[in-house]
Amino acid sequence: MSDPGTYETYRIPVSPEFREVFTHFYFAANRSETTISKTFLPSYQIILIFNFGEKAFIRSGEQQIEVEKCLLLGPVKKAFDYTLIPGSEILVANFKDDAFYRFFGNALMEKNMAVHPDDLTGENCFSGVWSELKKLPVNEKRVDFILDFCRPYLKDRNTLINRLTGFEDKNLDVVKTLAGETGQTERNIQLQHKKQLGYSAKEIRRYSRFLKAIEMLQQHTSGPGINWFEVIHTCGYYDQSQLIHDFKYYLGLTPVNYLKFQREICNPVS
């Protein structure tokens, strides 16, 4: 996606020690003389955005938010746009599964989808982190600083959540299965899922189905070569209308329109 001299973007992987905490870090910078806007697919992750340059903006639906120094966003359940004016540069940390809960003690931000991280801690620690990151010359050093900073604050992972995120049998209901295994009620499993991951098991099943469809469409550059019935069957949709409904829900686009604009849409989990 990088365009030398205009739009620079790349991912920074994390070390094995932190692969249960962050999926990756993402950097984007506008080196051009015009404003650049991109669309991000939903990731069902909470993201932490640091802005080191000129103004950057996030738009979700009708809500537009300016990213000043740092901003927490999510869980990201629908596509959103970000806009970088000339001179903007952002570094994004993508929390994985329950990592945000393990750090902040809460995974629910739905009443206020975007907040400054200091509002959750009651201290100015993230403003201080931003100041230190601003001094560092390269993003890899910035990532190392963030990882060192978060290390002492991470709580141990809940055994139940470990089972929920690692459950692989798609033919079984994860909530019912784990309720039977642990002797807990299904309601309690559901509450823990929502509390620590920020979404329900039903939500993530629907999202996984949509994401599988996206991955199939990304293998094609134009619509005529796509076997839509294969996409519907492989991804577990009942019919074409259900497929279209999911694309409109997550992206505000039909599958066909997604194909037309997919070069402008970033997939944070691919």
Side-chain angles (χ1 to χ4, degrees):
M1 288 179 58
S2 292
D3 185 0
T6 57
Y7 179 60
E8 178 186 3
T9 177
Y10 57 86
R11 293 183 177 215
I12 304 170
V14 296
S15 63
E17 178 187 359
F18 287 94
R19 285 178 186 165
E20 285 188 353
V21 182
F22 300 103
T23 58
H24 63 282
F25 285 74
Y26 174 85
F27 176 75
N30 183 357
R31 313 295 190 195
S32 73
E33 297 180 356
T34 59
T35 297
I36 294 174
S37 294
K38 296 289 181 179
T39 298
F40 255 77
L41 289 174
S43 64
Y44 271 71
Q45 299 167 340
I46 294 178
I47 62 176
L48 173 59
I49 307 170
F50 291 97
N51 181 22
F52 300 112
E54 300 297 330
K55 290 182 180 180
F57 298 92
I58 299 292
R59 176 178 290 277
S60 178
E62 298 300 317
Q63 184 182 24
Q64 178 167 290
I65 304 157
E66 181 178 343
V67 183
E68 295 180 350
K69 294 181 178 179
C70 45
L71 185 75
L72 281 166
L73 185 69
V76 181
K77 298 181 179 181
K78 292 187 179 182
F80 70 90
D81 299 329
Y82 74 82
T83 299
L84 304 180
I85 69 170
S88 296
E89 58 176 71
I90 58 173
L91 179 66
V92 182
N94 294 265
F95 285 96
K96 184 177 181 180
D97 298 334
D98 63 331
F100 184 82
Y101 176 86
R102 291 169 58 194
F103 192 89
F104 286 96
N106 191 350
L108 298 178
M109 295 169 52
E110 293 168 316
K111 291 183 180 179
N112 191 1
M113 185 180 175
V115 299
H116 193 290
D118 286 345
D119 292 342
L120 297 184
T121 64
E123 302 176 2
N124 293 325
C125 57
F126 279 90
S127 295
V129 169
W130 177 88
S131 297
E132 294 302 316
L133 294 176
K134 179 76 171 175
K135 300 174 185 176
L136 297 174
V138 294
N139 285 310
E140 287 74 12
K141 294 292 185 182
R142 289 171 172 171
V143 169
D144 289 342
F145 185 95
I146 294 170
L147 297 181
D148 286 339
F149 170 77
C150 75
R151 182 182 282 109
Y153 297 100
L154 281 170
K155 301 174 184 176
D156 291 336
R157 195 173 203 194
N158 183 290
T159 303
L160 175 63
I161 298 301
N162 196 47
R163 288 283 287 118
L164 283 169
T165 57
F167 197 84
E168 296 181 351
D169 193 334
K170 305 302 182 184
N171 297 317
L172 296 176
D173 185 306
V174 60
V175 172
K176 288 183 179 180
T177 302
L178 294 186
E181 288 182 4
T182 62
Q184 301 183 50
T185 65
E186 292 182 24
R187 176 63 175 164
N188 187 56
I189 301 292
Q190 291 168 344
L191 288 173
Q192 289 298 313
H193 196 297
K194 185 81 170 180
K195 178 182 178 181
Q196 298 198 39
L197 296 175
Y199 46 80
S200 68
K202 182 178 180 180
E203 285 180 288
I204 200 63
R205 282 198 301 270
R206 180 183 181 185
Y207 168 70
S208 296
R209 179 181 64 186
F210 162 76
L211 191 60
K212 189 171 184 179
I214 286 288
E215 290 170 351
M216 291 187 70
L217 296 188
Q218 285 180 335
Q219 298 173 12
H220 301 270
T221 57
S222 59
I226 294 175
N227 184 332
W228 291 105
F229 292 104
E230 180 184 359
V231 174
I232 292 166
H233 174 75
T234 302
C235 299
Y237 286 100
Y238 293 120
D239 52 29
Q240 187 174 8
S241 64
Q242 191 183 30
L243 173 70
I244 293 171
H245 180 74
D246 265 12
F247 269 74
K248 287 184 175 180
Y249 174 81
Y250 289 114
L251 286 175
L253 299 170
T254 65
V256 172
N257 283 335
Y258 165 74
L259 288 171
K260 294 178 181 179
F261 297 107
Q262 67 173 312
R263 287 182 60 85
E264 300 302 317
I265 299 176
C266 308
N267 188 346
V269 295
S270 66

